């Protein structure tokens, strides 16, 4: 490929434990990639900048930059703190100006959002939610998070959705477990994230036999989340990823329990005969994070060009 022929976009997946930096094109193809451990902000940001400058020197100038960040983050463009990490237990990162430090040296349009909103954008643009302009991307791993797109745009508001911290109704086999969320105890994340499974059963899901009640408990809580999303956000599709969801047996169990919780109240084929196309696995796999950042860059460029 002749570098003069491409529009190059920068992508930074800013994670709490690792940064993934990449450059790619508007079709979601990654051309260069660099990943490294997240340390304190100054050194971490410097390494990301060095990668992007190197890619520019080798290929061409970056047309736009996208940053998909761990949270909580300030997404209100009217706020003087827009683009900053908010109060976080991660040492040194509270109030870090991620957007300013990364984007200002390049002087190009920049998109900034949560890692899960970015992953939702990428699944909509290039993955399992193509064509579903209102959708939710749920990740179930060490925590539970979700990105929400409405009419193709990530949903923001007071802050951004934190769907992992909604409260499910207790499963009848799970009355006594106190949950692991440091804020709420038995919110959804506290009851159904990977560490919750380990705390309740002493093992991860893949180590438990199929008939173990933990499978039903997990599927039930995640189905309740989906049911609540259906009646609040009315998504056209729900994409479910993350380490816990890599257990493929879980997805059909969640679909079954979702139908039980909805009780036929919403009469649409998407929630009955076609439910296997409604609750789906990610199409981008482990790349959804960095491709999420790339999709924010492409969107920022589109917005600038009108
Ligand atoms: Zn919580």
């Amino acid at each position: 490929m002749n570098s003069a022929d491409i529009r190059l976009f920068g992508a930074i997946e800013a994670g709490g434990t690792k940064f993934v930096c990449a450059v790619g094109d508007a079709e979601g193809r990654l051309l260069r990639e660099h990943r490294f451990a997240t340390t304190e902000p100054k050194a971490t940001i410097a390494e990301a900048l060095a990668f992007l400058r190197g890619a520019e020197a080798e290929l061409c100038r970056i047309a736009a930059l996208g940053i998909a960040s761990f949270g909580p983050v300030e997404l209100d463009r009217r706020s003087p703190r827009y683009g900053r990490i908010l109060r976080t237990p991660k040492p040194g990162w509270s109030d870090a100006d991620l957007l300013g430090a990364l984007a200002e040296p390049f002087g190009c349009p920049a998109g900034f959002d949560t890692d899960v909103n970015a992953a939702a954008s990428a699944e909509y643009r290039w993955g399992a939610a193509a064509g579903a302009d209102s959708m939710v991307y749920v990740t179930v791993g060490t925590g539970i998070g979700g990105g929400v797109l409405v009419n193709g745009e990530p949903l923001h508001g007071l802050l951004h959705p934190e769907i992992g911290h909604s409260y499910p109704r207790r499963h009848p086999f799970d009355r006594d477990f106190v949950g692991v969320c440091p804020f709420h105890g038995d919110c959804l994340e506290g009851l159904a994230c990977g560490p919750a499974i380990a705390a309740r059963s002493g093992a991860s899901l893949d180590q438990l036999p199929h008939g173990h009640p933990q499978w039903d408990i997990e599927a039930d809580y995640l189905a309740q989340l989906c049911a609540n999303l259906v009646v609040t956000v009315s998504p056209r599709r729900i994409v479910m990823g993350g380490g816990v969801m890599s257990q493929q047996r879980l997805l059909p169990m969640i679909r079954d329990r979702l139908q039980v919780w909805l009780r036929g109240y919403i009469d649409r084929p998407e929630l009955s005969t076609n439910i296997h196309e409604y609750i789906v696995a990610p199409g981008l796999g482990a790349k959804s994070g960095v491709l999420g950042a790339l999709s924010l860059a492409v969107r920022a460029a589109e917005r600038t060009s009108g």
Side-chain angles (χ1 to χ4, degrees):
M1 186 185 298
N2 185 334
S3 63
D5 295 337
I6 60 165
R7 282 192 91 196
L8 193 66
F9 298 92
I12 295 175
E13 178 191 6
T17 55
K18 72 173 191 305
F19 263 51
V20 183
C21 303
V23 290
D25 66 15
E27 277 73 53
R29 284 183 291 252
L30 298 174
L31 304 172
R32 299 284 186 279
E33 199 175 325
H34 175 52
R35 51 184 64 213
F36 53 93
T38 307
T39 57
E40 48 85 29
K42 198 172 172 193
T44 307
I45 288 167
E47 185 155 358
L49 288 174
F51 165 79
L52 291 172
R53 288 200 180 101
E56 276 198 326
E58 191 185 347
L59 297 166
C60 64
R61 292 210 53 181
I62 289 168
L65 183 65
I67 302 161
S69 178
F70 70 94
V73 287
E74 180 57 77
L75 298 176
D76 184 350
R77 289 170 182 271
R78 296 164 298 186
S79 166
R81 300 178 76 200
Y82 173 61
R84 287 176 183 262
I85 308 267
L86 298 177
R87 188 163 54 93
T88 170
K90 192 158 178 58
W93 284 91
S94 290
D95 208 37
D97 184 10
L98 205 50
L99 176 64
L102 287 167
E104 277 168 19
F106 296 96
C108 62
F112 180 74
D113 218 310
T114 63
D115 44 9
V116 283
N117 267 344
S121 299
E123 289 289 343
Y124 166 54
R125 192 176 277 269
W126 299 305
D133 61 354
S134 293
M135 55 80 67
V136 180
Y137 172 86
V138 177
T139 177
V140 187
T142 51
I144 297 179
V148 180
L149 291 200
V150 176
N151 299 325
E153 292 291 333
L155 182 64
H156 304 153
L158 179 66
L159 188 63
H160 41 77
E162 287 280 2
I163 61 175
H165 298 275
S166 54
Y167 288 91
R169 195 185 290 182
R170 282 295 186 123
H171 189 279
F173 297 160
D174 190 40
R175 297 273 183 225
D176 301 325
F177 179 56
V178 295
V180 301
C181 176
F183 291 90
H184 315 112
D186 63 349
C187 66
L188 179 79
E189 179 172 298
L191 292 174
C193 68
I197 296 169
R200 185 191 293 110
S201 64
S204 60
L205 209 49
D206 60 303
Q207 295 168 324
L208 297 169
H210 197 184
H212 193 286
Q214 179 62 59
W215 284 93
D216 287 333
I217 292 170
E218 186 69 12
D220 183 67
Y221 287 146
L222 295 177
Q224 289 190 54
L225 172 64
C226 292
N228 289 336
L229 289 170
V230 168
V231 296
T232 52
V233 180
S234 203
R236 295 186 184 277
R237 200 165 301 157
I238 298 174
V239 179
M240 303 193 75
V244 172
M245 290 308 303
S246 66
Q247 299 306 308
Q248 294 179 0
R249 164 193 309 176
L250 209 46
L251 214 50
M253 296 175 73
I254 294 168
R255 294 181 187 127
D256 288 348
R257 287 303 297 173
L258 171 59
Q259 291 176 301
V260 172
W261 280 108
L262 289 174
R263 312 274 199 273
Y265 179 69
I266 296 174
D267 183 19
R268 292 293 298 243
E270 288 86 347
L271 298 170
S272 53
T273 49
N274 296 340
I275 197 162
H276 58 287
E277 296 173 2
Y278 188 78
I279 306 285
V280 298
L284 304 174
K287 294 281 186 202
S288 67
V290 67
L291 287 174
L294 187 67
S295 74
L296 296 179
V298 175
R299 184 74 189 102
E302 288 171 351
R303 199 180 287 119
T304 305
S305 62

